[in-house]
Amino acid sequence: HLLVLLALLALGAGLRFWGLWWGLPERCDLHPDESQYVIRHATEVSLARPDPGFLNYPSFMCYTVAILRGALQAGFGWGQEIWQVYLIGRAMSALYGILTVPAAFLLALRLGARPAGALLSACWVAILPLHVWDSHVAVTDIMMTFWLILALWAALGMLQAGRFKPGPCVAAGIFLGLATGSKYTAALVAIGPLAAVVFGKWPWRDAVKGLVVVGLVSLAACFAVTPYSFIRFPDLLKAMAYENAHTHGHHLGFSNPAAGPQYHRYLYQVAAAAPFSFGLALYCCAIAGMAWAVFRHSRADNVVLAFWIVFFGVVGSWSFTPLRYYLPMLVIGAVYAGVWQGEWMCCGGAAWRRRLALAAVTLAAGYTLAFTVSTTRRFSSDTRTQADEWMRKNLGANQKVHVFGWWHY
């Protein structure tokens, strides 16, 4: 099992580091959130000026990029150029993407998966198309998803404990705080410890004690990685008011509703965003796995699905619809695809279940890997960089290209 997991890590690493330098060094401005919100502020913070001056995103990723840049400059003299800072940020995002593979394996085991099912869950996350794509960008969603999956894993540890034990509660608090310090939306994973206490039927004194510990530890962990979100709390509230208007506003090409029956809140995420983000074969497996979990109705499933429903209810209500907002839901879907397939492949019941699960695994593996590879290739041949190269070669000193209706997205 360890060798298979290591092979999946290598596969995930290859897909995520392939083409990581897209657009660099000439074009560092191809992803606006990367350039304006993460790298810009990562280059401005220092020990003398720790306040990033920007609270719309937590500062955990900015601080981490700045620390890694400082270490590389001190040790190797590398990181002076701005394009190198982008590469540091992207490499960190890719690393978190790779680490999500064993995190999915651990979560699957706590969901009661057989070893084969847990390895399949790890496999689907390793090749999950949207997860691979966004691991190429220095934004916060991949980092947040990793800590969020660990927070759910720790919440299931609380469920298994059945009463107050410091270890699971402290772990849940740390991972919840680090997830929220990566992206504020991850605070919704607080539903995990709460659901664990409810479905675990903890004695009420233990429940109060456990949730207080989770809350205090999560606040401390979050403060450690994004302190100015607390120190400048009134400014944070203003930033959150802006983001609330931002996510419910209209953005050309990124907003619901739009023409077409599928482009409406909640329906869009299920009928349009998810099939493309998974690839059609893995999407069908994820739907089947989550449906199977609903009918299995275990306490562990109740905890994870409670979070999934709350997260979908909140994020799906936004009119602003970048696909990366849905990464936690997709990773959970990939995990359930593996858990279901492993259970049916290894069960001693009807042979048709084993054959169906094996066929689903074979189809999903072949289709998803091909889809992920073919789409990830675009990072090495971005049409914007190709157009830039063409203009540099073919336009004379006095020639210009006029662009009408330009929008930086």
Side-chain angles (χ1 to χ4, degrees):
H1 296 154
L2 179 59
L3 290 176
V4 175
L5 187 59
L6 290 174
L8 293 174
L9 280 169
L11 174 61
L15 290 171
R16 285 161 178 80
F17 280 104
W18 176 31
L20 198 66
W21 49 88
W22 60 284
L24 304 178
E26 294 87 0
R27 294 296 305 275
C28 299
D29 59 343
L30 295 178
H31 194 291
D33 287 2
E34 181 183 55
S35 58
Q36 296 177 20
Y37 301 145
V38 175
I39 301 302
R40 172 187 170 188
H41 298 287
T43 57
E44 293 175 350
V45 296
S46 65
L47 290 176
R49 185 185 176 277
D51 185 355
F54 178 76
L55 298 178
N56 297 58
Y57 282 22
S59 54
F60 190 10
M61 187 163 190
C62 293
Y63 285 158
T64 309
V65 172
I67 291 170
L68 288 174
R69 182 194 188 192
L72 289 170
Q73 285 179 330
F76 305 97
W78 194 87
Q80 300 285 351
E81 301 291 334
I82 186 64
W83 69 266
Q84 295 171 340
V85 185
Y86 277 83
L87 195 55
I88 292 169
R90 291 177 184 179
M92 190 183 72
S93 188
L95 180 60
Y96 273 109
I98 296 163
L99 292 176
T100 308
V101 174
F105 176 81
L106 294 175
L107 180 62
L109 288 178
R110 283 213 167 155
L111 284 169
R114 298 171 184 267
L119 288 172
L120 282 170
S121 296
C123 175
W124 301 143
V125 173
I127 64 175
L128 180 59
L130 182 66
H131 199 268
V132 171
W133 304 334
D134 276 286
S135 294
H136 286 75
V137 184
V139 291
T140 57
D141 300 83
I142 294 293
M143 181 187 203
M144 177 265 289
T145 301
F146 167 73
W147 293 115
L148 189 150
I149 293 300
L150 286 185
L152 289 174
W153 172 80
L156 294 183
M158 293 176 60
L159 177 73
Q160 291 176 356
R163 60 183 178 83
F164 174 72
K165 289 184 179 180
C169 295
V170 170
I174 291 173
F175 296 141
L176 169 59
L178 294 180
T180 308
S182 303
K183 189 171 184 177
Y184 299 123
T185 317
L188 293 171
V189 81
I191 196 72
L194 179 60
V197 166
V198 171
F199 292 113
K201 298 181 180 179
W202 283 25
W204 73 267
R205 292 181 186 274
D206 282 17
V208 171
K209 190 186 301 184
L211 293 176
V212 167
V213 169
V214 170
L216 292 177
V217 172
S218 66
L219 288 172
C222 191
F223 180 86
V225 297
T226 182
Y228 285 91
S229 298
F230 294 84
I231 295 170
R232 295 173 49 201
F233 190 71
D235 293 328
L236 173 66
L237 294 179
K238 294 177 183 178
M240 292 300 95
Y242 169 84
E243 290 298 325
N244 181 64
H246 183 69
T247 55
H248 288 87
H250 182 74
H251 303 264
L252 183 62
F254 286 90
S255 297
N256 285 325
Q262 73 273 33
Y263 294 112
H264 295 276
R265 292 181 178 91
Y266 302 115
L267 183 61
Y268 165 78
Q269 286 79 12
V270 174
F276 178 70
S277 302
F278 276 114
L280 186 59
L282 185 54
Y283 168 72
C284 293
C285 292
I287 293 294
M290 295 188 70
W292 170 81
V294 169
F295 286 103
R296 183 174 69 160
H297 198 59
S298 74
R299 295 188 306 162
D301 293 329
N302 291 342
V303 171
V304 174
L305 293 178
F307 161 74
W308 194 97
I309 292 168
V310 170
F311 192 88
F312 178 53
V314 173
V315 179
S317 71
W318 299 344
S319 57
F320 191 39
T321 58
L323 295 180
R324 58 190 171 89
Y325 285 8
Y326 314 129
L327 274 167
M329 298 190 299
L330 298 175
V331 170
I332 291 171
V335 167
Y336 270 116
V339 175
W340 159 66
Q341 290 164 340
E343 186 66 27
W344 276 28
M345 285 175 63
C346 301
C347 70
W352 69 267
R353 290 188 175 185
R354 293 193 296 274
R355 288 195 290 267
L356 178 61
L358 182 60
V361 169
T362 303
L363 178 62
Y367 180 93
T368 307
L369 184 59
F371 181 60
T372 300
V373 169
S374 65
T375 50
T376 304
R377 286 182 60 191
R378 77 187 193 277
F379 287 102
S380 301
S381 56
D382 192 291
T383 54
R384 293 167 295 182
T385 58
Q386 291 177 340
D388 184 63
E389 291 173 3
W390 182 91
M391 288 188 290
R392 290 175 186 272
K393 292 178 180 178
N394 294 281
L395 292 184
N398 296 320
Q399 292 179 304
K400 296 180 180 179
V401 174
H402 292 276
V403 180
F404 298 91
W406 177 86
W407 181 246
H408 67 270
Y409 280 105

